[in-house]
């Protein structure tokens, strides 16, 4: 019986999505995702988009923390450039979340503070520390995007073409940041291995939680 | 299952009748009366089983076992009912068609139909299984179809809420279409929220006398997850059509505020006796004003905070200049 009410609710919302998209095709660009077919797909997409949004938000805050410490040094412009790209990513995800009516993660304030602290603390270790943090974070994010790309390709690559394109583009940007970090002596920071492992674990935990909460 | 119970009840009735007859003088007349009563009871039961046999076949499958295990006095009647049943080639639970409509209908659609029909009996029977039974009977189904609804009155209330929410979403979508086509003016957020809550609460007016009962049913522990889900879906819909596309903590605070407004206004409405619920709408206006004020105050506090921080930074730099710490040597 609950299925009746739930499916009635979903059906009404899906019809409403279709109306919304059709009505607004004239006034704005094509939507990134087709309306969800059923509840399972909606849940899967919700989780993906929520964690991606949280990830970009966290990355933003990490760069903000690094800029706060190293903003006036030589590496300032480099970090600023990477930060600007992350800002663009976050903007894109904000738009997608609004369109798809995805709930943002409740832990955003937590990622705000911990991202800033991580960026600031790694920057206190100097330029190499900041670069090491960048390398570790970008590696985590790229791995995460890759697994999402794999998952979407497994389900239905044609249905999710736009979304796949966006995620691939972002993943390429993150890989570029990762390589930039390596170029700028990330590995020469003392305790590089421990720092990297610590950040990897933190990112994995953050991804796991953000999918659900 | 229900038929089994009925069979047992009938059996008890028969025994009762028999005992009454025994208490009376055991004369041949009495014996004749007893046999007559017995036959009448059998015929009544047979009629019941006959009426059951025209209800949807799926229901048959559930209680065929019950039928055949009930009193054997029914003899040919139960056999014909069962025979009719086994004669049908298609007895899958999913794939059923009611005897009275031509189209293929799923169980869920049938349940929805019954519950919708039951709503008109709610003012009479309250939110209860009796209302569902009455609704089923208007669709020419047996009153025993209430057995389909494990949650009883809860199913009826949740169905009603889901219907109201779908209607609300459809109306809001239509309004949005009108605005996009340029046929209507976009409303300010406060006014939009007020109108949406007003619209949704007016759907309760036909059932307002029994609504406290419905609310208490929704508060039962096994109904709480579903009722919360419906509430959150409704609030999300209203904010979406109000134009909220926030992706930060505002998403949560706005929905929490609207949930508070809706719940309190609903409570006020339930005990409001003014003509056309004027007091309720006045209460709603005041609550919306409160929320708007709070939002404005929050913005002001933030702006003031930023200005204060800027002022402090300026003062610090001035101090540094005055003490000569800013100069490069």
């Amino acid at each position: 019986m609950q299925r009746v009410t739930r499916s009635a609710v979903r059906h009404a919302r899906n019809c409403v999505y279709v109306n919304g998209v059709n009505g607004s095709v004239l006034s704005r660009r094509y939507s990134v995702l087709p309306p969800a077919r059923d509840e399972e797909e909606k849940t899967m997409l919700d989780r993906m988009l929520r964690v991606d949004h949280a990830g970009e938000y966290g990355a933003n805050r990490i760069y903000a923390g690094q800029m706060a410490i190293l903003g006036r040094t030589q590496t300032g412009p480099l970090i600023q450039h990477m930060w600007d790209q992350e800002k663009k990513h976050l903007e894109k995800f904000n738009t997608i979340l609004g369109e798809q009516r995805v709930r943002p993660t409740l832990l955003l304030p937590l990622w705000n503070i911990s991202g800033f602290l991580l960026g600031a603390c790694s920057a206190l270790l100097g330029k190499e520390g900041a670069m090491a943090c960048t390398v570790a974070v970008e590696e985590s994010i790229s791995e995460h995007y890759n697994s999402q790309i794999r998952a979407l390709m497994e389900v239905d690559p044609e249905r999710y073409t736009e979304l796949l394109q966006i995620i691939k583009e972002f993943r390429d940007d993150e890989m570029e940041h990762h390589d930039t970090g390596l170029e700028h002596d990330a590995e020469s920071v003392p305790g590089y291995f421990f720092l990297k492992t610590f950040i990897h674990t933190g990112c994995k935990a953050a991804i796991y939680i953000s999918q659900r909460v | 299952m229900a038929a089994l119970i009925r069979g047992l009840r009938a059996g008890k009735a028969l025994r009762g009748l028999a005992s009454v007859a025994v208490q009376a003088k055991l004369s041949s007349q009495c014996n004749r009366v007893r046999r007559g009563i017995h036959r009448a009871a059998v015929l009544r039961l047979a009629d019941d089983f006959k009426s059951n046999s025209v209800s949807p076949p799926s229901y048959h499958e559930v209680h065929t076992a019950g039928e055949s295990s009930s009193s054997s006095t029914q003899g040919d009647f139960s056999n014909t009912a069962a025979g009719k049943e086994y004669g049908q080639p298609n007895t899958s639970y999913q794939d059923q068609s009611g005897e009275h409509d031509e189209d293929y209908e799923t169980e869920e659609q049938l349940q929805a139909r019954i519950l919708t029909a039951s709503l008109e009996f709610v003012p009479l029977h309250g939110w209860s299984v009796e209302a569902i039974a009455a609704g089923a009977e208007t669709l020419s189904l047996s009153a025993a179809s209430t057995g389909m609804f494990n949650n009883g009155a809860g199913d009826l209330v949740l169905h009603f809420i889901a219907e109201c929410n779908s209607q609300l979403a459809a109306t809001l979508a239509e309004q949005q279409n009108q605005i996009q086509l340029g046929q209507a003016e976009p409303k300010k957020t406060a006014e939009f929220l007020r109108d949406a809550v007003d619209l949704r609460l007016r759907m309760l007016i036909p059932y307002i006398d029994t609504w406290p009962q419905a609310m208490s049913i929704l508060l039962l522990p096994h109904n709480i997850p579903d009722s919360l889900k419906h509430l959150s879906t409704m609030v999300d819909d209203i904010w979406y059509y109000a134009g909220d596309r926030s992706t930060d903590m505002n998403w949560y605070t706005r929905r929490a505020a609207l949930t508070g407004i809706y719940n309190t206004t609903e409570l006020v409405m339930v005990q409001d006796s003014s003509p056309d619920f004027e007091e309720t709408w006045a209460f709603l206006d005041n609550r919306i004003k409160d929320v708007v004020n709070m939002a404005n105050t929050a913005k002001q506090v933030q702006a003031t905070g930023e200005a204060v921080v800027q002022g402090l930074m300026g003062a610090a730099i001035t101090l540094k200049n005055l003490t000569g710490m800013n100069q490069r040597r």
Side-chain angles (χ1 to χ4, degrees):
Chain A
M1 186 53 217
Q2 289 123 346
R3 279 182 295 135
V4 180
T5 53
R6 261 182 241 149
S7 59
V9 167
R10 279 288 168 220
H11 181 68
R13 292 181 85 182
N14 284 344
C15 288
V16 150
Y17 288 154
V18 170
N19 284 339
V21 169
N22 284 342
S24 57
V25 153
L26 303 165
S27 54
R28 63 188 173 90
R29 66 198 191 298
Y30 182 67
S31 164
V32 160
L33 279 172
R37 267 184 299 232
D38 54 16
E39 228 179 294
E40 267 179 55
E41 188 188 356
K42 182 87 177 95
T43 318
M44 176 193 84
L45 288 172
D46 268 9
R47 283 192 171 169
M48 281 186 167
L49 293 171
R50 184 176 312 134
V51 73
D52 286 347
H53 174 256
E56 292 298 343
Y57 183 80
N60 239 289
R61 298 308 296 156
I62 292 177
Y63 282 121
Q66 288 185 346
M67 275 303 281
I69 307 287
L70 292 174
R72 266 164 262 165
T73 66
Q74 268 185 335
T75 29
L78 175 64
I79 301 180
Q80 182 67 47
H81 168 70
M82 292 199 283
W83 189 12
D84 289 337
Q85 282 183 317
E86 297 294 348
K87 280 188 196 155
K88 264 190 250 155
H89 292 184
L90 182 61
E91 227 178 87
K92 182 70 187 164
F93 274 121
N94 277 340
T95 323
I96 297 180
L97 252 70
E99 272 171 19
Q100 299 297 321
R101 302 178 63 170
V102 177
R103 171 182 69 87
T105 172
L106 185 58
L107 299 169
L108 280 178
L110 177 63
W111 302 144
N112 185 354
I113 299 176
S114 47
F116 192 87
L117 279 177
L118 176 64
C121 292
S122 65
L124 284 172
L125 294 172
K127 167 193 163 208
E128 293 80 16
M131 290 297 134
C133 171
T134 304
V135 164
V137 168
E138 301 295 4
E139 207 175 298
S140 275
I141 292 189
S142 303
E143 202 185 302
H144 167 70
Y145 277 149
N146 277 334
S147 65
Q148 280 196 345
I149 292 172
R150 268 193 293 272
L152 287 174
M153 299 276 256
E154 264 173 30
V155 174
D156 191 346
E158 274 155 31
R159 188 174 163 77
Y160 303 119
T161 342
E162 288 89 13
L163 183 61
L164 274 170
Q165 205 180 339
I166 291 175
I167 298 184
K168 279 181 194 164
E169 193 188 314
F170 289 4
R171 188 230 17 219
D172 294 339
D173 284 342
E174 310 291 2
M175 287 306 290
E176 196 191 307
H177 294 177
H178 171 263
D179 296 336
T180 312
L182 283 176
E183 272 168 39
H184 285 82
D185 311 321
E187 282 159 337
S188 59
V189 71
Y192 174 69
F193 175 72
F194 296 108
L195 186 62
K196 196 162 158 227
T197 319
F198 173 70
I199 293 177
H200 271 310
T201 326
C203 285
K204 280 205 192 85
I207 289 173
Y208 182 82
I209 302 176
S210 292
Q211 274 174 338
R212 283 157 184 83
V213 174
Chain B
M1 175 65 196
L4 177 58
I5 294 172
R6 281 233 228 110
L8 289 170
R9 262 191 239 141
K12 256 192 240 164
L14 281 174
R15 265 181 264 126
L17 287 169
S19 66
V20 162
V22 162
Q23 275 168 17
K25 273 199 190 152
L26 268 176
S27 64
S28 55
Q29 251 186 348
C30 282
N31 279 339
R32 250 179 275 138
V33 165
R34 205 174 10 142
R35 262 180 262 128
I37 293 171
H38 186 89
R39 231 176 278 134
V42 166
L43 283 170
R44 192 174 62 83
L45 277 172
D47 278 344
D48 278 345
F49 282 122
K50 253 203 190 137
S51 72
N52 274 355
S53 77
V54 300
S55 68
S58 75
Y59 194 71
H60 259 156
E61 292 170 62
V62 174
H63 70 256
T64 315
E67 264 188 46
S68 51
S69 68
S70 62
S71 54
S72 53
T73 48
Q74 274 60 32
D76 15 302
F77 293 113
S78 69
N79 276 340
T80 49
K84 200 173 187 177
E85 234 268 308
Y86 291 131
Q88 281 177 5
N90 188 1
T91 53
S92 119
Y93 201 72
Q94 288 299 321
D95 192 26
Q96 49 159 301
S97 49
E99 293 221 358
H100 290 270
D101 40 9
E102 305 294 304
D103 311 329
Y104 171 86
E105 188 184 50
T106 63
E107 183 194 342
E108 288 179 358
Q109 284 172 332
L110 175 67
Q111 287 183 341
R113 261 199 326 140
I114 294 178
L115 291 176
T116 310
S118 315
L119 287 176
E120 66 178 279
F121 296 97
V122 164
L124 178 59
H125 294 294
W127 300 90
S128 62
V129 184
E130 282 82 32
I132 303 180
E137 276 172 356
T138 57
L139 295 176
S140 317
L141 299 169
S142 155
S145 349
T146 57
M148 265 200 284
F149 302 102
N150 296 326
N151 204 1
D155 279 335
L156 185 56
V157 180
L158 289 171
H159 169 82
F160 173 66
I161 289 186
E163 286 293 313
C164 286
N165 289 349
S166 320
Q167 222 179 315
L168 176 71
T171 313
L172 291 177
E174 181 54 41
Q175 284 177 1
Q176 190 186 52
N177 264 347
Q178 294 276 320
I179 292 175
Q180 277 175 346
L181 293 172
Q183 288 170 4
E185 288 297 315
K187 295 185 207 172
K188 299 183 70 111
T189 311
E191 196 194 325
F192 183 93
L193 293 179
R194 194 223 169 277
D195 288 342
V197 175
D198 181 303
L199 177 64
R200 175 63 175 80
L201 284 176
R202 281 193 190 272
M203 295 183 199
L204 299 179
I205 291 182
Y207 308 97
I208 198 69
D209 294 324
T210 48
W211 194 246
Q213 184 195 8
M215 285 170 77
S216 64
I217 290 174
L218 288 174
L219 284 174
L220 292 172
H222 56 267
N223 285 331
I224 285 181
D226 282 322
S227 73
L228 282 180
K229 188 177 248 190
H230 283 302
L231 180 62
S232 59
T233 314
M234 178 195 74
V235 167
D236 188 37
D237 278 339
I238 295 180
W239 267 117
Y240 176 75
Y241 288 111
D244 174 47
R245 299 287 181 275
S246 55
T247 49
D248 50 7
M249 283 317 276
N250 275 331
W251 192 96
Y252 289 92
T253 51
R254 286 178 184 176
R255 277 152 186 77
L258 186 58
T259 309
I261 293 175
Y262 178 83
N263 281 338
T264 48
T265 314
E266 192 184 12
L267 284 171
V268 166
M269 190 175 178
V270 156
Q271 48 80 50
D272 185 9
S273 50
S274 58
D276 194 35
F277 299 95
E278 285 162 358
E279 278 174 20
T280 308
W281 310 134
F283 179 86
L284 175 61
D285 283 330
N286 287 336
R287 296 291 75 72
I288 301 249
K289 254 187 237 144
D290 284 345
V291 165
V292 167
N293 280 341
M294 263 200 312
N296 286 339
T297 313
K299 261 186 236 162
Q300 275 177 350
V301 162
Q302 199 185 18
T304 313
E306 276 169 16
V308 163
V309 163
Q310 297 258 355
L312 283 173
M313 297 280 279
I317 291 175
T318 312
L319 255 164
K320 276 173 95 174
N321 284 339
L322 284 176
T323 56
M325 275 163 62
N326 246 359
Q327 291 175 15
R328 239 179 273 180
R329 300 223 181 131

